[in-house]
Amino acid sequence: MNLRTSSISPDWWDYTCLPLDIVAEVARLTPRDLEKLSRPGFRVVFYDTLEDFYLAEALEYVTAWKQSTDDNPAGICGPIGPTEQLPLVARLVTELGLDVRSGHFWGMDEWYDETTGKEVPVTHPLSFEKADREMCFNRIPKKQRMPDANLHFPKADTTAFRKTWDAGVRCAVIQGGQGDVKHWAFNDPLQRKGKYKAAPPTPAEYRKLATRVVDLHPLTIAQNARTSGGGNISMVPTKAITVGPVETWKAEKVSIWQAGTHDIPFGQRLTAYLISKGLATSCVPMSLLADHPNVQFNYYRGGLGTCAVEMH
């Protein structure tokens, strides 16, 4: 691809660096066109109601944990964003009387506090671990839920977290949303500096990245302020800890959920198009999933929007 300078920030690589012919083709995609992007290893699924959408997302947790046994433990890696599925997970497990004590859960990411050099504490209002516990795990009766040892939240020192991915627990699915900058977890594009001043990392280079502390693209900071802090950008950290492609490729399935509340209509179309066509570029990190053998994109039909010009 002949990449352009970012329209957002010239100091970064991002999706606005893509050639304009790709941009124009993506903007023309209708919902029906999106459905036709399914191919072996990549499936596009639509839901007509938000109730069906979030219930299906919650059921991925239940399905993963039902596969788990003491001798063959299994789990799911899940996001904060979306979060609407989390209380549904707790209710399903509780009301159906499911025993998920052998199940495992990996948190996708967490904010990083530059002043302490550590992950933010669970007392931080934006803490992802806090959200997972309060919205899901603390709502499941103790006699049914997994012990704390089976809950794996990323820390600034990533050593212990990374070891859990090679400790004999099968990750049935890694679930995520899609951010404005087209990331899963906080796998943002990289800055244009050093060895990547003239060109971004190749897909092969980017896929070698494991769980790590990352600098966040300006779009990511603005998005999290918008979706979680009423637009108060000053409260959003500029660094985070994120599960990497290395761990993602250890999951049997990658399932991305787009209700239309996080990424924009163009972005929801762009990543599906790139994955379907096998056009992987680290300017659009989500596109790297083109090389994963089992990816599913889930859309709420009413949240897909349009790329037509509408003046507001």
Side-chain angles (χ1 to χ4, degrees):
M1 296 184 188
N2 293 319
L3 299 174
R4 303 177 298 131
T5 300
S6 168
S7 301
I8 303 296
S9 174
D11 295 328
W12 289 80
W13 295 104
D14 56 52
Y15 74 95
T16 66
C17 299
L18 293 175
L20 290 176
D21 59 334
I22 291 179
V23 172
E25 187 165 356
V26 168
R28 289 193 294 266
L29 294 176
T30 65
R32 181 59 184 147
D33 293 331
L34 269 182
E35 290 179 294
K36 293 179 180 178
L37 292 178
S38 291
R39 59 162 174 77
F42 177 57
R43 185 176 179 222
V44 176
V45 179
F46 276 83
Y47 301 86
D48 291 325
T49 68
L50 282 175
E51 291 84 357
D52 194 24
F53 178 91
Y54 288 120
L55 177 59
E57 186 176 8
L59 284 170
E60 283 194 334
Y61 285 69
V62 174
T63 300
W65 291 337
K66 285 180 69 177
Q67 299 173 40
S68 184
T69 65
D70 290 335
D71 295 332
N72 185 22
I76 181 171
C77 179
I80 295 298
T83 59
E84 287 83 352
Q85 77 282 3
L86 293 174
L88 298 179
V89 173
R91 182 166 292 278
L92 287 168
V93 171
T94 301
E95 297 298 331
L96 294 176
L98 301 178
D99 183 345
V100 299
R101 287 177 295 176
S102 70
H104 284 249
F105 173 80
W106 290 270
M108 291 193 79
D109 37 28
E110 187 56 275
W111 300 107
Y112 177 82
D113 187 340
E114 291 188 76
T115 60
T116 64
K118 295 183 178 181
E119 66 282 352
V120 298
V122 292
T123 54
H124 191 286
L126 294 179
S127 166
F128 293 162
E129 179 178 349
K130 177 176 184 285
D132 274 316
R133 290 185 181 277
E134 292 183 352
M135 299 183 76
C136 183
F137 297 106
N138 291 354
R139 301 186 184 196
I140 300 173
K142 288 184 178 181
K143 64 181 180 180
Q144 292 174 243
R145 70 176 185 239
M146 63 283 293
D148 259 18
N150 292 16
L151 302 178
H152 314 294
F153 295 103
K155 308 296 182 183
D157 181 351
T158 63
T159 306
F161 180 83
R162 290 190 61 191
K163 285 181 178 179
T164 64
W165 289 83
D166 297 306
V169 181
R170 180 169 56 89
C171 183
V173 60
I174 187 168
Q175 196 182 81
Q178 176 171 298
D180 281 345
V181 82
K182 324 310 169 208
H183 63 204
W184 81 98
F186 278 126
N187 290 294
D188 282 15
L190 301 190
Q191 295 184 57
R192 295 188 66 154
K193 64 181 183 180
K195 64 183 293 187
Y196 301 124
K197 179 70 175 177
T202 66
E205 286 177 305
Y206 198 103
R207 283 197 300 270
K208 291 179 181 178
L209 298 174
T211 302
R212 64 208 185 279
V213 176
V214 296
D215 293 308
L216 299 176
H217 189 284
L219 272 178
T220 297
I221 299 169
Q223 176 193 341
N224 279 274
R226 172 175 59 84
T227 58
S228 302
N232 184 0
I233 288 180
S234 62
M235 76 179 297
V236 180
T238 59
K239 291 179 181 287
I241 310 140
T242 188
V243 68
V246 168
E247 290 77 26
T248 301
W249 258 253
K250 293 177 181 178
E252 295 176 357
K253 178 181 180 181
V254 180
S255 186
I256 304 300
W257 294 81
Q258 306 205 55
T261 55
H262 289 87
D263 199 12
I264 53 179
F266 176 80
Q268 293 183 70
R269 290 162 168 78
L270 174 64
T271 50
Y273 175 87
L274 295 177
I275 291 173
S276 177
K277 304 299 182 183
L279 299 174
T281 169
S282 64
C283 286
V284 187
M286 191 73 83
S287 72
L288 303 183
L289 296 177
D291 296 321
H292 192 285
N294 187 9
V295 177
Q296 181 170 312
F297 268 31
N298 305 275
Y299 292 98
Y300 167 49
R301 195 180 299 275
L304 189 57
T306 175
C307 293
V309 174
E310 296 178 357
M311 305 301 287
H312 294 283

